[in-house]
Amino acid sequence: MMGSVDPNWLPFASMLTFELFKDGATPAPQPAQRNALPKPSTLTQPVGEDHYVRVLLNDEVLTLPTCQAHGKHHSRMGPSLCTLDAFLEHVAPIIATEEEYAKDCGTMPATFDYEE
């Protein structure tokens, strides 16, 4: 699942959870390829470098291979808390482009504007 080491099928009614965290106290590393990574088209505002993602499967933390390297996870919380850029790098091969989505599914959903 998402590159983890467990090759087995998931149990029926499994739950995959993505948690997004913001840490203003610990600056994330400056990735060189930040603008080259795909971003969801529904994300209308820039997301800072202090955002992190944790993935859980049935309430157990998954550690993604992409987040293992130094600088790709939270410096104090460890590899289970990926930088947002490392997470997007990990899922980039499976995210449909807007063109692929339109071809396969029809029109894109409306963008979601949010206020902080």
Side-chain angles (χ1 to χ4, degrees), residues 19-71:
E19 298 177 333
L20 177 65
F21 296 94
K22 181 177 181 180
D23 180 7
T26 306
Q30 300 279 336
Q33 52 178 253
R34 181 175 208 43
N35 294 330
L37 295 173
K39 303 283 190 279
S41 61
T42 54
L43 187 64
T44 59
Q45 295 183 0
V47 178
E49 296 172 358
D50 55 351
H51 285 78
Y52 298 88
V53 177
R54 180 169 49 204
V55 182
L56 296 102
L57 175 61
N58 298 326
D59 291 329
E60 292 186 26
V61 175
L62 289 181
T63 302
L64 305 178
T66 310
C67 305
Q68 298 289 328
H70 179 72

Side-chain angles (χ1 to χ4, degrees), residues 10-28:
L10 298 179
F12 180 74
S14 289
M15 182 174 66
L16 187 63
T17 306
F18 300 93
E19 298 177 333
L20 177 65
F21 296 94
K22 181 177 181 180
D23 180 7
T26 306

